[in-house]
Amino acid sequence: MLANRKDKGRIRPDGQDKVTGCLAYLTDLTFERMLHGKVLRSTYPHAEIKAIHTKKAEQLPGVVAVITHKDIPGLNGFGLITPDQPVLCDFVVRSIGDAVAAVAAETEEIARQALDLIVVDYDPLPVVDNPHTALFPNAPKLHSNGNLLHKASFIKGDVKKGFGDCTCIVEETYEVPRQMHAYMETEGGVVVPEDDGGITVYMGTQHGYKDRYQLSRILNCSEALIRVVSSPMGGSFGGKDELNVQPYAALLALKTGRPVRIHQTREESLRSGIKRHPMTITMKTGTDASGKLLAHQVRIVADTGAYASLGPAVLDFAVEHATGPYRIAHVETEGLSIFTNNGVAGEFRGFGGNQVTFALEGQMDRLAEKLGIAPIELRRRNLRNATDLGPMEHRIAPTDGASMVVEALDHQYTKRLAARDSDVFNPFIKRGIGIAITMHGGGLGYGRLDSSGGRLALNNDGRIEVSFGFEECGQGLLAVIETIVTSELHCAPSDLLILNGDTHLVPPTGSSTASRATSMVWTAIQRLKEAFTNKLLHAASLYLGLMETDLKLGEGGIWRRSDRKSETPLMSYKELAEYANHEEPICVDTHFEFPTTPDPVPGGHFLYSFAGVLAEVEVDLLTGRVKVRRLDQTVAAGPVVSPLGYLGQIEGGAVMALGYSLTEEAKMVGGHYVTKNFDTYLIPTIRDAPLEMNVDAIEMLDEGDSYGPRGVGEIGTVAVAPAITKAIHDAIGYWPVKLPVCPEALLSHVEEGLFPWTLKKQA
C-alpha cells in the first residue's frame, strides 16, 4: 500500500510556502500604476449584435480604456486547435460566455460600473440548447459548416453478425453531466507592457508557449515580444489550457501603456470557462453463454457548446476508449460532437475517458447480473493480454497492467465482501460494494503535435538549472523533477534550481496535460544525464588534474570516486561554474516526441496506464443520500516517482470523481447556467471524502519497456463513477444511468418497490 512506503515522506519543493500561505500566485502580483480590467459578456446565448455603445462608459471618471472588436489589431479568434472563438464579438454572440467589450479603470469597482454603462443592441436569435435536435434540418446553423463539429468512428468485424451469435445482450443509454473544474484560483493575472513594445503576461496556463502563439496572432506582433510567465497557479485540471482573460488584459495593457490586472469572480469564471463535455452514450453489448464479449455497439453524442476548443480530440479519446481493456470481436462505435448555444466544453481531467468508462463498466455489471457471473470474473474473462493490440487495433507498448489490476482488485473485493454489513444497525441504511476498471492513454496521441524535451545547465551561481516548458498546476511536478534529477545525478535538492513556466527562461517542451509531464521529465533526464555528467567531469578533471574516471557527481559538487571518507567534495559546483563557465557555459538540451502508436489512428495512444476501483457506499432509504465510505484504487502506471504526489493525484482525483458521481452538474437551461457559485454547485468537502481511501501502486513494467513511469494525473478520476453506481445497485438494486445520481431518483426507486429488496434482505 502506497501510504505505508518508507520513502513517501519527501516534502515537495513548494510545499512549505503553500501551507504557510507565502507562495505568491500570479493573481497575487501587483505593479505600479496598475489598472483593473473587467470583461462584458453577452446577455443572450444567441443573438445578433446591432450596435455597441461605449461612450458613457468611456466618460466615467477613472475609466482609462474601453475596447471592442474594433481594437483588435490581429486575428479576432482563439482556440487551441481551431481559432473559432471570438476574442470580442462583432456581429453575433453564440454563448453567454462570449465577450463583447472590456474595460480598464483605476479601480475594480469603477471598471464594474463602466460595464453597466455599455449598451449593446441585440436581436435575439433562436437558442440551440440540445445537441440531439441541433442536427435537425430546420435547426439554426451556429457556424457556416453547420452544427456538427466532429464525427469519429471505429469499426471492427461485423457487429450485426456478432449480436446474432449472442445469448445475452444488454442495451442502455447513459447520461453524464457538464462538470466544472472548480479550481481554487479562478482565471486571472496581470499583463505588463514593456519598453520594447511587447508585453509580459503573468497568468496561470497549462501551455505558456501556446498562449504566446495565440496572443501573437491576436495582437499581430512577433512571439518574441511576448513573455508568458505561467507558474505557479492554483489548480487547473484542464480548465486553463485554453486562453481565457489573457487577450483582454493584453489588449488593454497595450492600449493604456499600463499594467492591467484581471481576476475573475467565481460567477465570471463559471460563465466564461470551459467544462467537461456532457454526453449521451448508448451502448448495446452482447456475450455468449460463458460471458465472452462478442459484440459492442456504441453511439456517443457530445455537447461541445458554442466553439470547438478540444471537442474533436475529446471525442476521439472517448471513441478510442469505448472498449476499455477488453477484447471484443465485433465493435461499431460512432461519436458526434455537436455545436450548441451552451457553454463551451473542452479539456478536463480524463479527457472523455470518464464519460465512456461510466457507460462501459455499467454494461459489464449489467451483463454480469444477467449471466449470473461475478462482476470481476466477467471482466477477467474478457481482458486484453499483454501483447494484444490496442483498443482500436493499433500497436501499443506491451503491458499486462489490466490483468495485474484485476487480480489485485479481486483480492480486495473478496476481503470487503466478507466484511460487509458487519456493523450496520440502522434498518434504513443499506450498504453496497462496487468495482470498476479502466485503461487510459497518456499523451496527445497519433497525429497531434506532442513534442517534448528539457535542459540541464550549470549556472554561474553553481546551481544545476533544470528547465522545462511544463507548468506546475498544483499537481506536484516540481517534486517529480527534484526526485528524478537528484536520483539520476546523485546531487542534493539544494544543488538544483528548477525553472518552469516562463517562456523567456525555459525551452518549448510542451504542456502540462494528458498525464505526460512525469513521463517527459523522466525521459528527458535519461537523455541528458550522461552528456551533462561528462561535461561536468571533464571540466573538473582539467581543474583538479585528475582523471575523469576518478571523479563522480555528488551532493554539493565533484567527489573522488574512490574516497568514501571525505565529508566535503573535491570541488563545489560553484567553484566548477567559476572555472568552467568562464569559457563556455555547461549546458545540454534535448528534444523529442512523446511516443505514439505508429498506426494512423487519429489520436491513438501508445502508452497506457490502468486502474481498478473498489467503492463502498451507504444509501439512506429515508433521504436518498449516498455516503461513500471507502474508495480504494489499484493503479498500474509504472514506477512511482513521488509517493506523496502519487497519493495526492489518485486520492484527489477520486474525490473529484465522487463529486462527478453524486453532486456536480453545471446545469444549463435555455443556454443559461442555473448555478452561479459554489453555494448551488456542490463539490465534495472533507465531510464527503471517504473515511477509507487506499492506493496500491503496481510498479512493474513489461520486460524491455524503456518508457519509464507514466503520469497519473488523470487516471484516479476515470473509473470511480461506475464503481460508486454499482455499489448503489448492490445496496438497493437500482441501476443509475444518469450522473450525478440524485436522491430523488433513489427515493423513487425505493418507494416504487415498496421496499421489496429491503424486506428480502432483512429476512
Side-chain angles (χ1 to χ4, degrees):
M1 195 174 298
L2 198 59
N4 296 331
R5 284 174 63 133
K6 292 180 180 178
D7 62 340
K8 72 179 179 65
R10 179 191 284 266
I11 298 173
R12 54 190 285 174
D14 54 351
Q16 183 167 342
D17 284 348
K18 280 196 166 183
V19 298
T20 58
C22 294
L23 185 67
Y25 289 94
L26 299 172
T27 47
D28 295 328
L29 300 180
T30 59
F31 295 84
E32 288 187 9
R33 303 178 67 241
M34 187 176 77
L35 298 170
H36 298 265
K38 279 288 178 187
V39 182
L40 181 68
R41 305 280 176 182
S42 173
T43 303
Y44 297 96
H46 194 200
E48 282 187 41
I49 296 176
K50 296 297 185 182
I52 305 172
H53 308 282
T54 61
K55 193 169 183 179
K56 287 185 178 178
E58 292 166 357
Q59 292 173 342
L60 182 69
V63 170
V64 181
V66 180
I67 59 172
T68 67
H69 63 93
K70 297 176 182 175
D71 297 283
I72 299 172
L75 176 68
N76 186 9
F78 65 93
L80 272 170
I81 306 299
T82 305
D84 65 346
Q85 185 161 357
V87 177
L88 289 163
C89 295
D90 43 16
F91 305 115
V92 65
V93 291
R94 299 182 181 88
S95 158
I96 60 161
D98 277 352
V100 177
V103 171
E106 298 290 350
T107 69
E108 191 169 338
E109 178 59 28
I110 294 173
R112 193 176 299 115
Q113 292 174 14
L115 292 190
D116 294 337
L117 296 175
I118 298 173
V119 177
V120 183
D121 296 335
Y122 292 104
D123 188 0
L125 296 169
V127 175
V128 180
D129 63 352
N130 185 326
H132 301 280
T133 58
L135 295 184
F136 286 180
N138 60 347
K141 284 188 177 182
L142 304 185
H143 293 273
S144 58
N145 291 330
N147 296 337
L148 178 61
L149 166 65
H150 184 61
K151 184 175 182 179
S153 62
F154 172 67
I155 296 176
K156 172 187 173 185
D158 182 342
V159 74
K160 187 175 180 181
K161 177 181 180 305
F163 281 118
D165 295 336
C166 290
T167 57
C168 180
I169 297 175
V170 296
E171 184 169 6
E172 191 60 85
T173 297
Y174 303 84
E175 293 182 54
V176 288
R178 180 180 290 101
Q179 186 184 20
M180 285 172 58
H181 299 78
Y183 26 71
M184 290 296 98
E185 184 192 38
T186 56
E187 305 87 351
V190 187
V191 174
V192 180
E194 303 293 351
D195 294 338
D196 61 0
I199 54 173
T200 298
V201 181
Y202 297 94
M203 289 201 191
T205 174
Q206 289 183 213
H207 200 170
Y209 275 94
K210 191 74 174 183
D211 282 11
R212 191 181 74 165
Y213 168 68
Q214 293 199 75
L215 286 171
S216 74
R217 291 193 305 197
I218 295 166
L219 302 175
N220 193 27
C221 72
S222 165
E223 288 186 65
L225 289 172
I226 301 172
R227 176 186 182 186
V228 177
V229 181
S230 48
S231 290
M233 68 180 106
S236 179
F237 312 114
K240 293 175 184 169
D241 211 11
E242 285 280 8
L243 286 179
N244 188 287
V245 295
Q246 293 93 331
Y248 314 111
L251 289 163
L252 291 167
L254 287 173
K255 182 161 185 171
T256 62
R258 295 169 63 175
V260 174
R261 177 180 189 268
I262 298 179
H263 191 186
Q264 300 214 100
T265 64
R266 183 62 64 182
E267 182 177 351
E268 291 168 338
S269 174
L270 169 69
R271 192 167 175 173
S272 67
I274 59 175
K275 310 291 185 296
R276 187 189 297 283
H277 277 81
M279 294 183 185
T280 302
I281 302 169
T282 300
M283 280 189 180
K284 180 180 178 183
T285 313
T287 73
D288 64 15
S290 70
K292 182 175 177 55
L293 292 168
L294 298 181
H296 189 52
Q297 191 172 37
V298 184
R299 179 178 168 84
I300 303 168
V301 176
D303 180 354
T304 203
Y307 302 104
S309 184
L310 288 182
V314 169
L315 183 69
D316 286 345
F317 196 97
V319 168
E320 177 188 355
H321 289 74
T323 55
Y326 308 116
R327 296 292 291 169
I328 309 174
H330 307 282
V331 180
E332 184 178 290
T333 305
E334 179 185 64
L336 304 173
S337 187
I338 299 170
F339 286 122
T340 67
N341 291 123
N342 293 323
V344 180
E347 182 179 346
F348 199 133
R349 196 178 195 179
F351 211 77
N354 308 51
Q355 294 95 320
V356 78
T357 300
F358 168 61
L360 174 63
E361 291 297 278
Q363 292 290 97
M364 296 301 287
D365 285 327
R366 285 160 175 78
L367 284 168
E369 184 180 68
K370 286 189 75 170
L371 290 162
I373 299 174
I376 202 155
E377 177 58 26
L378 180 66
R379 287 169 169 84
R380 181 185 283 116
R381 292 181 187 181
N382 290 285
L383 284 182
R384 69 181 308 280
N385 293 312
T387 56
D388 283 340
L389 294 172
M392 297 179 78
E393 298 297 294
H394 57 286
R395 284 170 284 177
I396 70 172
T399 169
D400 200 24
S403 177
M404 291 189 288
V405 160
V406 165
E407 295 314 315
L409 191 61
D410 191 10
H411 175 72
Q412 298 167 12
Y413 189 45
T414 303
K415 189 176 173 183
R416 295 314 304 169
L417 284 175
R420 67 184 302 165
D421 289 346
S422 61
D423 57 349
V424 178
F425 301 105
N426 186 337
F428 297 106
I429 298 292
K430 297 300 174 190
R431 286 187 178 173
I433 302 175
I435 56 143
I437 62 174
T438 188
M439 175 180 183
H440 193 81
L444 303 184
Y446 181 89
R448 305 206 160 96
L449 297 175
D450 199 3
S451 62
S452 188
R455 184 170 63 215
L456 288 175
L458 183 66
N459 71 16
N460 292 333
D461 295 332
R463 286 192 289 176
I464 298 171
E465 279 189 3
V466 193
S467 306
F468 291 103
F470 320 126
E471 284 76 12
E472 168 61 55
C473 307
Q475 77 276 45
L477 180 58
L478 299 182
V480 167
I481 296 172
E482 182 183 278
T483 301
I484 291 177
V485 176
T486 54
S487 173
E488 297 294 337
L489 298 185
H490 311 293
C491 57
S494 58
D495 295 324
L496 302 182
L497 175 62
I498 300 173
L499 300 176
N500 72 326
D502 186 333
T503 56
H504 267 30
L505 301 179
V506 299
T509 55
S511 66
S512 287
T513 190
S515 302
R516 68 195 291 280
T518 295
S519 294
M520 293 299 88
V521 173
W522 185 86
T523 302
I525 298 305
Q526 300 308 309
R527 296 166 66 102
L528 291 170
K529 64 180 183 182
E530 183 176 354
F532 185 66
T533 300
N534 289 342
K535 285 197 172 191
L536 292 182
L537 294 183
H538 177 70
S541 74
L542 294 176
Y543 181 82
L544 295 169
L546 296 172
M547 298 285 287
E548 291 177 39
T549 52
D550 290 337
L551 303 174
K552 65 179 181 180
L553 304 190
E555 296 188 2
I558 308 299
W559 296 69
R560 188 189 291 273
R561 187 173 293 277
S562 60
D563 189 352
R564 299 181 179 178
K565 296 181 179 179
S566 296
E567 296 182 354
T568 57
L570 290 172
M571 185 181 196
S572 71
Y573 289 123
K574 183 172 178 56
E575 291 170 328
L576 184 59
E578 289 171 351
Y579 167 71
N581 281 2
H582 187 69
E583 295 294 330
E584 182 180 354
I586 294 178
C587 178
V588 296
D589 56 25
T590 184
H591 181 85
F592 54 94
E593 298 294 318
F594 194 98
T596 184
T597 178
D599 299 319
V601 174
H605 294 80
F606 186 68
L607 301 181
Y608 289 84
S609 50
F610 300 82
V613 181
L614 183 149
E616 286 187 26
V617 306
E618 285 182 350
V619 180
D620 188 326
L621 300 181
L622 299 180
T623 66
R625 297 287 181 190
V626 176
K627 171 69 177 174
V628 180
R629 290 171 47 85
R630 186 183 198 98
L631 272 176
D632 294 343
Q633 297 217 44
T634 300
V635 178
V640 174
V641 174
S642 171
L644 278 180
Y646 199 103
L647 270 176
Q649 290 284 16
I650 302 302
E651 291 182 349
V655 175
M656 175 179 268
L658 187 157
Y660 185 57
S661 307
L662 298 177
T663 60
E664 295 186 41
E665 181 178 14
K667 192 171 184 178
M668 302 200 79
V669 175
H672 293 269
Y673 283 103
V674 173
T675 185
K676 300 185 187 310
N677 207 337
F678 284 162
D679 54 357
T680 50
Y681 182 89
L682 302 179
I683 60 174
T685 69
I686 190 64
R687 288 177 60 87
D688 305 297
L691 295 173
E692 291 266 1
M693 296 180 73
N694 300 302
V695 178
D696 281 334
I698 296 174
E699 302 186 69
M700 189 185 310
L701 292 174
D702 198 75
E703 186 176 355
D705 187 307
S706 61
Y707 301 101
R710 281 53 155 166
V712 293
E714 296 171 283
I715 197 164
T717 69
V718 179
V720 171
I724 288 176
T725 51
K726 172 54 188 168
I728 291 171
H729 173 262
D730 189 50
I732 63 169
Y734 173 67
W735 285 117
V737 294
K738 184 178 184 304
L739 298 181
V741 181
C742 69
E744 291 82 359
L746 298 186
L747 287 176
S748 294
H749 169 78
V750 172
E751 290 171 0
E752 287 171 5
L754 298 176
F755 299 90
W757 184 93
T758 305
L759 293 173
K760 181 181 177 183
K761 187 77 175 177
Q762 289 175 335

